[in-house]
Amino acid sequence: MKIKDLKTFQLKVTVKEPFTSSRGWWYDTKEALIVKIVTDEGIDGWGECYGPASIAKAVVDSLFKPQVVGKDPFDVEVIWEHLYNRIKDYGLSGMTISGISGIDIALWDIMGKAVQKPIHKLMGGCFREKVQAYATGLYFKNMDRVTEEAVEEAKGFVDQGFRAVKMKIGLGSLKKDLDRIAAVKAAVGSDVQLMVDANHCYNVPMAIALGRELEQMGIYWFEEPISPEDIEGYVEVSRALDIAIAGGENDSTRFGFRELITRRAMDIIQPDVCAAGGLTECKKIAAMAGAHWIQCIPHAWGSVIGIAATLHFLASLPDCPPCLVPIPPMLEYEQTFNPFRYELSHVSISHRQGIVDVPTGPGLGIEINEKIIEMYRVG
Ligand code: CA
């Protein structure tokens, strides 16, 4: 089998109700960069790149397309190393790796379709057929009622059956954050796990002070307390606190995660399959984490393609640690407005009472509706 062509589709949609996190930029649009790889045997594969779609498109079209056309999709690791070595002198992280990620996912989709097996069967097998999803939401929308709107949204997730919810924090004052977290915690009740995500807005002393309060409140994990470059700071925060520290969504490749893992800078690493190097690389990152008994609970923020790829990755992860009643990794199920999550595929992915089935069809196990792609396409 040979790769005949590679196409990219830049999708964009206006968000009905703009929202922000502690980062401070307002999401008023949602974008996606979708990769389609066409083979000479009539099998197509789909992938997705994280980050600004126009940049991902330029990277994939100009840098990588000429390098993959003519190759055998089953040489997935050979292709990965080849692409990585092409960008090694200027693009060891960021959008270049996002470009490789989208291509890699599409190659796995092709391999699965060629042998009529779901991707996780090619990645070593199925540790779990169902995954517990946690709802990611509770961003800031109306700054005059950030607590009220968070409580309303959280109650909505619990009513839908979610057993775990992650909220955004980072209002510039620990008291404001703590009051809002306490209100949400009271609203969801003690049976629902609540996580908080600061999107790296704190410094080390503030993160430790807040973390001590979060421990008392029974918060399940504290995500991105401080800036991702500050590995020393992560070590300090992780050692000072009992609560699990999560992070790593902005990192990529086994080389990027190596120090985080070997220095035990965090308790939970969160590589994104559409950003950290695709399924090929995320499997290696997870293996390295597992060797240090650090949990891998991937970040996910994409379309149905990214979600399907993440589910196959989750299915392929051993319990960490294995035991009678293990604590399996969860799916990050982002709940902000995003039609690419539920419209792009004829086969939808959805949750029932917060549980999502791992797709069992060939490849990613979804069927892309190209009419919808054309509907949202801007480039
Ligand atoms: Ca996050």
Side-chain angles (χ1 to χ4, degrees), residues 166 168 197 199 223-224 249 299:
K166 189 169 81 186
K168 295 291 172 180
D197 184 357
N199 291 94
E223 181 167 322
E224 287 208 281
E249 69 184 72
H299 174 262

Side-chain angles (χ1 to χ4, degrees), residues 138-362:
L138 285 70
Y139 284 76
F140 313 133
K141 282 170 275 188
N142 179 348
M143 296 307 286
D144 293 331
R145 54 189 307 278
V146 280
T147 298
E148 292 90 331
E149 67 188 8
V151 166
E152 289 158 14
E153 199 180 335
K155 280 183 178 164
F157 293 145
V158 175
D159 289 346
Q160 286 179 50
F162 279 108
R163 310 306 295 159
V165 173
K166 189 169 81 186
M167 66 184 291
K168 295 291 172 180
I169 60 169
L171 289 167
S173 135
L174 294 188
K175 181 173 183 333
K176 276 187 193 166
D177 271 337
L178 285 167
D179 288 349
R180 185 164 164 274
I181 297 164
V184 172
K185 182 73 183 157
V188 299
S190 53
D191 291 342
V192 173
Q193 288 172 326
L194 182 64
M195 294 84 85
V196 302
D197 184 357
N199 291 94
H200 48 82
C201 71
Y202 298 117
N203 53 32
V204 169
M206 285 180 87
I208 292 173
L210 182 63
R212 285 187 181 130
E213 302 292 332
L214 298 178
E215 285 166 358
Q216 299 306 313
M217 296 163 92
I219 300 302
Y220 192 54
W221 78 58
F222 185 5
E223 181 167 322
E224 287 208 281
I226 59 170
S227 219
E229 307 91 333
D230 187 7
I231 297 177
E232 197 66 47
Y234 268 95
V235 172
E236 223 177 300
V237 172
S238 293
R239 294 296 174 277
L241 294 174
D242 295 330
I243 188 173
I245 301 298
E249 69 184 72
N250 2 50
D251 267 289
S252 58
T253 79
R254 75 203 94 131
F255 310 111
F257 277 89
R258 180 175 52 194
E259 210 183 340
L260 295 181
I261 292 170
T262 56
R263 297 193 63 197
R264 306 188 68 84
M266 46 195 66
D267 306 286
I268 298 164
I269 56 153
Q270 300 172 300
D272 187 312
V273 293
C274 299
L279 292 162
T280 301
E281 195 66 1
C282 282
K283 187 75 177 158
K284 294 174 182 174
I285 294 166
M288 189 158 59
H292 293 76
W293 302 106
I294 287 172
Q295 269 193 297
C296 177
I297 306 180
H299 174 262
W301 223 72
S303 77
V304 66
I305 297 172
I307 293 172
T310 305
L311 283 167
H312 290 289
F313 179 47
L314 283 163
S316 81
L317 293 178
D319 289 316
C320 179
C323 52
L324 176 65
V325 186
I327 305 164
M330 288 190 280
L331 170 72
E332 173 160 29
Y333 207 10
E334 190 247 322
Q335 295 292 308
T336 62
F337 173 78
N338 187 355
F340 310 143
R341 197 167 55 234
Y342 46 84
E343 287 181 17
L344 285 193
S345 172
H346 293 295
V347 185
S348 67
I349 292 177
S350 55
H351 79 94
R352 281 188 315 280
Q353 298 297 305
I355 305 291
V356 180
D357 293 334
V358 174
T360 52

Side-chain angles (χ1 to χ4, degrees), residues 50 55 59 63-64 80 84 87-101 229 248-257 275-277:
Y50 180 74
I55 312 294
V59 166
L63 279 175
F64 294 146
W80 198 99
Y84 183 72
I87 50 86
K88 199 166 191 156
D89 290 352
Y90 51 82
L92 288 176
S93 66
M95 292 308 292
T96 46
I97 308 301
S98 175
I100 296 177
S101 305
E229 307 91 333
E249 69 184 72
N250 2 50
D251 267 289
S252 58
T253 79
R254 75 203 94 131
F255 310 111
F257 277 89

